[in-house]
Coordinates of all heavy atoms in Angstrom, one line a residue:
M1 N 17.2 -2.0 -5.7 CA 16.5 -1.6 -4.5 C 16.8 -2.6 -3.4 O 16.7 -3.8 -3.6 CB 15.0 -1.5 -4.8 CG 14.2 -1.0 -3.6 SD 12.5 -0.8 -4.0 CE 12.5 1.0 -4.2
S2 N 17.2 -2.1 -2.3 CA 17.5 -3.0 -1.2 C 16.4 -3.1 -0.2 O 15.4 -2.3 -0.3 CB 18.8 -2.5 -0.5 OG 18.5 -1.3 0.2
W3 N 16.5 -3.9 0.8 CA 15.5 -4.1 1.8 C 15.4 -2.8 2.6 O 14.3 -2.4 3.1 CB 15.8 -5.2 2.8 CG 15.5 -6.5 2.1 CD1 16.5 -7.4 1.6 CD2 14.3 -7.1 1.7 NE1 15.9 -8.5 1.0 CE2 14.5 -8.3 1.1 CE3 12.9 -6.7 1.9 CZ2 13.5 -9.2 0.7 CZ3 11.9 -7.6 1.5 CH2 12.2 -8.8 0.8
M4 N 16.5 -2.1 2.8 CA 16.4 -0.8 3.5 C 15.6 0.3 2.8 O 15.0 1.1 3.4 CB 17.9 -0.3 3.8 CG 18.6 -1.2 4.8 SD 17.8 -1.4 6.4 CE 18.1 0.3 7.0
D5 N 15.7 0.2 1.5 CA 14.9 1.2 0.7 C 13.4 0.9 0.8 O 12.6 1.9 0.6 CB 15.3 1.0 -0.8 CG 16.7 1.5 -1.1 OD1 17.2 2.3 -0.3 OD2 17.3 1.0 -2.1
L6 N 13.0 -0.3 1.1 CA 11.6 -0.6 1.3 C 11.0 -0.1 2.6 O 9.8 -0.1 2.7 CB 11.4 -2.1 1.1 CG 11.7 -2.7 -0.2 CD1 11.5 -4.2 -0.2 CD2 10.9 -2.1 -1.3
L7 N 11.8 0.3 3.5 CA 11.3 0.8 4.8 C 10.5 2.1 4.7 O 9.6 2.3 5.6 CB 12.4 1.0 5.8 CG 13.1 -0.3 6.3 CD1 14.3 0.1 7.2 CD2 12.2 -1.2 7.0
W8 N 10.6 2.9 3.7 CA 9.9 4.1 3.6 C 8.5 3.9 2.9 O 7.6 4.7 3.0 CB 10.6 5.1 2.8 CG 10.9 4.8 1.3 CD1 12.0 4.1 0.9 CD2 10.1 5.0 0.2 NE1 11.9 3.9 -0.5 CE2 10.8 4.4 -0.9 CE3 8.9 5.6 0.0 CZ2 10.2 4.5 -2.2 CZ3 8.3 5.7 -1.3 CH2 9.0 5.1 -2.3
L9 N 8.2 2.7 2.4 CA 7.0 2.4 1.7 C 5.8 2.4 2.7 O 4.7 3.0 2.4 CB 7.0 1.1 0.9 CG 7.6 1.2 -0.4 CD1 7.7 -0.1 -1.1 CD2 6.9 2.2 -1.3
P10 N 5.8 1.7 3.8 CA 4.6 1.7 4.7 C 4.2 3.1 5.3 O 3.0 3.4 5.2 CB 5.1 0.7 5.9 CG 6.1 -0.2 5.3 CD 6.8 0.7 4.3
P11 N 5.2 3.9 5.7 CA 4.7 5.2 6.1 C 4.1 6.1 5.0 O 3.1 6.8 5.2 CB 6.0 5.9 6.6 CG 6.9 4.9 6.9 CD 6.6 3.7 6.0
V12 N 4.6 5.9 3.8 CA 4.0 6.7 2.7 C 2.6 6.1 2.4 O 1.7 6.8 2.1 CB 4.9 6.6 1.4 CG1 4.2 7.1 0.2 CG2 6.2 7.4 1.7
M13 N 2.5 4.8 2.4 CA 1.2 4.2 2.1 C 0.2 4.5 3.2 O -1.0 4.8 2.9 CB 1.3 2.7 2.0 CG 2.0 2.2 0.7 SD 1.9 0.5 0.3 CE 2.3 -0.3 1.8
V14 N 0.6 4.6 4.4 CA -0.3 5.1 5.5 C -0.8 6.5 5.3 O -2.0 6.8 5.4 CB 0.3 4.9 6.9 CG1 -0.5 5.6 8.0 CG2 0.5 3.4 7.2
A15 N 0.2 7.4 4.9 CA -0.2 8.8 4.7 C -1.2 8.9 3.5 O -2.2 9.6 3.6 CB 1.1 9.6 4.4
I16 N -1.0 8.1 2.4 CA -1.9 8.2 1.3 C -3.2 7.6 1.7 O -4.3 8.2 1.3 CB -1.3 7.4 0.1 CG1 -0.1 8.1 -0.4 CG2 -2.3 7.2 -1.0 CD1 0.7 7.3 -1.4
A17 N -3.3 6.5 2.5 CA -4.5 5.9 2.9 C -5.3 6.9 3.8 O -6.5 6.9 3.7 CB -4.2 4.6 3.6
V18 N -4.6 7.6 4.7 CA -5.3 8.5 5.6 C -6.0 9.6 4.7 O -7.1 10.0 4.9 CB -4.4 9.1 6.6 CG1 -5.0 10.3 7.3 CG2 -4.0 8.1 7.6
V19 N -5.2 10.2 3.8 CA -5.8 11.3 3.0 C -6.9 10.8 2.1 O -8.0 11.4 2.1 CB -4.7 11.9 2.1 CG1 -5.3 12.8 1.1 CG2 -3.7 12.6 2.9
L20 N -6.8 9.7 1.4 CA -7.8 9.1 0.5 C -9.0 8.6 1.3 O -10.1 8.7 0.9 CB -7.3 8.1 -0.4 CG -6.3 8.5 -1.4 CD1 -5.8 7.3 -2.2 CD2 -6.9 9.5 -2.4
G21 N -8.7 7.9 2.5 CA -9.7 7.3 3.3 C -10.6 8.3 4.0 O -11.8 8.1 4.1
A22 N -10.0 9.4 4.4 CA -10.8 10.4 5.2 C -11.5 11.4 4.3 O -12.4 12.1 4.8 CB -9.9 11.2 6.1
A23 N -11.2 11.5 3.1 CA -11.8 12.5 2.2 C -13.3 12.2 2.0 O -13.7 11.1 1.5 CB -11.1 12.5 0.8
G24 N -14.1 13.1 2.4 CA -15.6 13.0 2.1 C -16.3 12.1 3.1 O -17.5 11.9 2.9
R25 N -15.7 11.7 4.2 CA -16.3 10.8 5.2 C -16.6 11.6 6.4 O -16.0 12.6 6.7 CB -15.4 9.6 5.6 CG -14.9 8.8 4.5 CD -15.9 8.1 3.7 NE -15.5 7.0 2.8 CZ -14.9 7.2 1.7 NH1 -14.5 8.4 1.3 NH2 -14.6 6.1 0.9
R26 N -17.7 11.2 7.1 CA -18.0 11.8 8.4 C -18.2 10.7 9.4 O -18.8 9.7 9.1 CB -19.3 12.6 8.2 CG -19.2 13.8 7.3 CD -20.4 14.8 7.6 NE -20.4 15.8 6.6 CZ -19.7 16.9 6.6 NH1 -18.9 17.1 7.6 NH2 -19.9 17.8 5.7
G27 N -17.7 11.0 10.6 CA -17.8 10.0 11.6 C -16.5 9.2 11.7 O -15.8 9.0 10.8
F28 N -16.3 8.7 13.0 CA -15.0 8.0 13.2 C -15.0 6.6 12.6 O -14.0 6.3 11.9 CB -14.8 7.8 14.8 CG -13.6 7.2 15.1 CD1 -12.4 7.8 15.0 CD2 -13.6 5.8 15.6 CE1 -11.2 7.2 15.4 CE2 -12.4 5.2 16.0 CZ -11.2 5.9 15.9
R29 N -16.0 5.8 12.7 CA -16.0 4.5 12.2 C -15.9 4.4 10.6 O -15.1 3.7 10.1 CB -17.2 3.7 12.6 CG -17.1 3.2 14.0 CD -18.3 2.4 14.4 NE -18.1 2.0 15.8 CZ -18.1 0.8 16.2 NH1 -18.2 -0.2 15.3 NH2 -17.9 0.5 17.5
P30 N -16.7 5.2 9.9 CA -16.5 5.2 8.4 C -15.1 5.6 8.0 O -14.6 5.1 7.0 CB -17.6 6.2 7.9 CG -18.6 6.3 9.0 CD -17.8 6.1 10.3
I31 N -14.5 6.6 8.7 CA -13.2 7.1 8.3 C -12.2 6.0 8.5 O -11.4 5.7 7.7 CB -12.8 8.3 9.1 CG1 -13.6 9.5 8.6 CG2 -11.3 8.6 8.9 CD1 -13.4 10.8 9.4
V32 N -12.2 5.3 9.7 CA -11.3 4.2 10.0 C -11.4 3.1 9.1 O -10.5 2.5 8.6 CB -11.4 3.8 11.5 CG1 -10.6 2.5 11.8 CG2 -11.0 4.9 12.4
R33 N -12.7 2.7 8.8 CA -13.0 1.6 7.8 C -12.4 1.9 6.5 O -11.8 1.1 5.8 CB -14.5 1.4 7.8 CG -14.8 0.1 7.2 CD -16.3 -0.2 7.3 NE -16.9 0.1 8.6 CZ -17.9 0.8 8.8 NH1 -18.6 1.3 7.8 NH2 -18.4 1.1 10.0
S34 N -12.6 3.1 6.0 CA -12.1 3.6 4.7 C -10.6 3.6 4.6 O -10.0 3.2 3.6 CB -12.7 4.9 4.3 OG -12.3 5.3 3.1
I35 N -10.0 4.1 5.7 CA -8.5 4.2 5.8 C -8.0 2.8 5.7 O -7.0 2.5 5.0 CB -8.1 4.9 7.0 CG1 -8.4 6.4 6.9 CG2 -6.6 4.7 7.3 CD1 -8.1 7.2 8.1
W36 N -8.6 1.9 6.5 CA -8.1 0.5 6.5 C -8.2 -0.2 5.2 O -7.3 -0.9 4.7 CB -8.8 -0.3 7.6 CG -8.4 -1.7 7.7 CD1 -9.1 -2.8 7.4 CD2 -7.1 -2.2 8.1 NE1 -8.3 -3.9 7.7 CE2 -7.1 -3.6 8.1 CE3 -5.9 -1.5 8.5 CZ2 -6.0 -4.3 8.4 CZ3 -4.8 -2.3 8.9 CH2 -4.8 -3.7 8.8
S37 N -9.4 0.0 4.5 CA -9.5 -0.7 3.2 C -8.6 -0.1 2.1 O -8.1 -0.8 1.3 CB -11.0 -0.6 2.8 OG -11.4 0.7 2.5
T38 N -8.4 1.2 2.2 CA -7.5 1.9 1.3 C -6.1 1.4 1.5 O -5.3 1.1 0.5 CB -7.6 3.4 1.4 OG1 -8.9 3.9 1.3 CG2 -6.7 4.1 0.4
F39 N -5.7 1.3 2.8 CA -4.3 0.8 3.1 C -4.1 -0.6 2.6 O -3.1 -1.0 2.0 CB -4.0 0.9 4.6 CG -2.7 0.4 4.9 CD1 -1.5 1.2 4.6 CD2 -2.5 -0.8 5.5 CE1 -0.3 0.7 5.0 CE2 -1.2 -1.3 5.9 CZ -0.1 -0.5 5.6
L40 N -5.1 -1.5 2.8 CA -5.0 -2.9 2.3 C -4.9 -2.9 0.8 O -4.2 -3.7 0.2 CB -6.2 -3.7 2.8 CG -6.1 -4.1 4.3 CD1 -7.4 -4.9 4.7 CD2 -4.9 -4.8 4.6
T41 N -5.7 -2.1 0.1 CA -5.7 -2.1 -1.3 C -4.4 -1.6 -1.8 O -3.8 -2.2 -2.8 CB -6.8 -1.1 -1.9 OG1 -8.1 -1.6 -1.4 CG2 -6.8 -1.1 -3.4
L42 N -3.8 -0.6 -1.2 CA -2.5 -0.1 -1.6 C -1.4 -1.2 -1.4 O -0.5 -1.4 -2.2 CB -2.1 1.1 -0.8 CG -2.7 2.4 -1.3 CD1 -2.4 3.5 -0.3 CD2 -2.2 2.8 -2.7
T43 N -1.5 -1.9 -0.2 CA -0.5 -2.9 0.1 C -0.6 -4.0 -0.9 O 0.5 -4.4 -1.5 CB -0.8 -3.5 1.5 OG1 -0.7 -2.4 2.4 CG2 0.2 -4.5 1.9
F44 N -1.8 -4.5 -1.2 CA -1.9 -5.6 -2.2 C -1.5 -5.2 -3.6 O -0.9 -5.9 -4.4 CB -3.3 -6.2 -2.2 CG -3.6 -7.0 -1.0 CD1 -4.8 -6.8 -0.3 CD2 -2.7 -7.9 -0.5 CE1 -5.1 -7.5 0.8 CE2 -3.0 -8.6 0.7 CZ -4.2 -8.4 1.3
G45 N -1.8 -3.9 -3.9 CA -1.4 -3.4 -5.2 C 0.2 -3.3 -5.4 O 0.7 -3.7 -6.4
V46 N 0.8 -2.8 -4.3 CA 2.3 -2.7 -4.3 C 2.9 -4.1 -4.4 O 3.9 -4.3 -5.2 CB 2.8 -1.9 -3.1 CG1 4.3 -2.1 -2.9 CG2 2.4 -0.5 -3.2
I47 N 2.4 -5.0 -3.7 CA 2.9 -6.4 -3.7 C 2.7 -7.0 -5.1 O 3.6 -7.7 -5.7 CB 2.3 -7.3 -2.6 CG1 2.8 -6.8 -1.3 CG2 2.6 -8.8 -2.9 CD1 2.1 -7.5 -0.1
A48 N 1.5 -6.8 -5.7 CA 1.2 -7.4 -7.0 C 2.1 -6.8 -8.1 O 2.7 -7.5 -9.0 CB -0.2 -7.1 -7.4
V49 N 2.3 -5.5 -8.1 CA 3.2 -4.8 -9.0 C 4.7 -5.3 -8.8 O 5.4 -5.6 -9.8 CB 3.1 -3.3 -9.0 CG1 4.2 -2.6 -9.7 CG2 1.8 -2.8 -9.4
G50 N 5.1 -5.5 -7.6 CA 6.4 -6.0 -7.3 C 6.6 -7.4 -7.8 O 7.7 -7.7 -8.4
V51 N 5.6 -8.2 -7.6 CA 5.7 -9.6 -8.1 C 5.8 -9.6 -9.6 O 6.5 -10.4 -10.3 CB 4.6 -10.5 -7.5 CG1 4.5 -11.8 -8.2 CG2 4.8 -10.7 -6.0
A52 N 4.9 -8.8 -10.2 CA 4.9 -8.8 -11.7 C 6.2 -8.3 -12.3 O 6.7 -8.9 -13.3 CB 3.7 -7.9 -12.2
I53 N 6.7 -7.3 -11.7 CA 8.0 -6.8 -12.2 C 9.1 -7.8 -12.0 O 10.0 -8.1 -12.9 CB 8.4 -5.5 -11.5 CG1 7.5 -4.4 -12.0 CG2 9.9 -5.1 -11.7 CD1 7.6 -3.1 -11.2
H54 N 9.1 -8.5 -10.9 CA 10.1 -9.6 -10.6 C 9.9 -10.7 -11.6 O 11.0 -11.2 -12.2 CB 9.9 -10.1 -9.2 CG 10.9 -11.1 -8.8 ND1 12.2 -10.9 -8.5 CD2 10.7 -12.5 -8.7 CE1 12.8 -12.0 -8.2 NE2 11.9 -13.0 -8.3
L55 N 8.7 -11.1 -11.9 CA 8.5 -12.2 -12.9 C 8.9 -11.8 -14.3 O 9.6 -12.6 -15.0 CB 7.0 -12.6 -12.9 CG 6.6 -13.4 -11.7 CD1 5.1 -13.6 -11.8 CD2 7.3 -14.7 -11.5
V56 N 8.6 -10.6 -14.7 CA 9.0 -10.1 -16.0 C 10.6 -10.0 -16.1 O 11.2 -10.4 -17.1 CB 8.4 -8.8 -16.4 CG1 9.0 -8.1 -17.6 CG2 6.9 -8.9 -16.6
A57 N 11.2 -9.6 -15.1 CA 12.6 -9.5 -15.1 C 13.3 -10.9 -15.1 O 14.3 -11.1 -15.8 CB 13.1 -8.8 -13.8
R58 N 12.7 -11.9 -14.4 CA 13.2 -13.2 -14.5 C 13.0 -13.9 -15.9 O 13.8 -14.6 -16.3 CB 12.4 -14.1 -13.5 CG 12.8 -13.9 -12.1 CD 14.0 -14.8 -11.8 NE 14.3 -14.7 -10.4 CZ 15.1 -15.4 -9.7 NH1 15.7 -16.4 -10.4 NH2 15.4 -15.2 -8.5
I59 N 11.9 -13.6 -16.5 CA 11.6 -14.1 -17.8 C 12.6 -13.6 -18.9 O 13.1 -14.4 -19.7 CB 10.1 -13.8 -18.3 CG1 9.2 -14.6 -17.4 CG2 9.9 -14.1 -19.7 CD1 7.7 -14.3 -17.6
F60 N 12.8 -12.3 -18.8 CA 13.7 -11.7 -19.9 C 15.2 -11.6 -19.5 O 15.9 -11.1 -20.3 CB 13.2 -10.4 -20.3 CG 11.8 -10.4 -20.9 CD1 10.7 -10.0 -20.3 CD2 11.7 -11.0 -22.2 CE1 9.4 -10.1 -21.0 CE2 10.5 -11.0 -22.9 CZ 9.4 -10.6 -22.2
A61 N 15.5 -12.1 -18.3 CA 16.9 -12.0 -17.9 C 17.7 -13.2 -18.4 O 17.3 -14.3 -18.7 CB 17.0 -11.9 -16.4

């Protein structure tokens, strides 16, 4: 996977965060707060999985 392949991740994560964050919420502030927290959770999750895969690949390579 190259750096250019990683460019599609933020738009996909934003789309997922909007759908998950807005589901079941009413009002502008709760929706924005939920979208932001969902996006941060997705971002940290993707980074953590990437680091874990990198470390496992380094250990067994």
Side-chain angles (χ1 to χ4, degrees):
M1 183 175 257
S2 68
W3 288 105
M4 293 301 288
D5 293 335
L6 295 176
L7 289 178
W8 63 270
L9 280 176
V12 170
M13 288 192 312
V14 168
I16 293 170
V18 167
V19 170
L20 292 178
R25 307 295 193 286
R26 295 198 189 276
F28 181 73
R29 284 183 182 242
I31 290 174
V32 171
R33 196 174 315 130
S34 180
I35 289 171
W36 181 246
S37 67
T38 304
F39 180 74
L40 288 179
T41 303
L42 283 171
T43 301
F44 290 132
V46 167
I47 290 172
V49 168
V51 168
I53 290 172
H54 182 73
L55 289 176
V56 169
R58 286 274 185 169
I59 289 171
F60 293 109

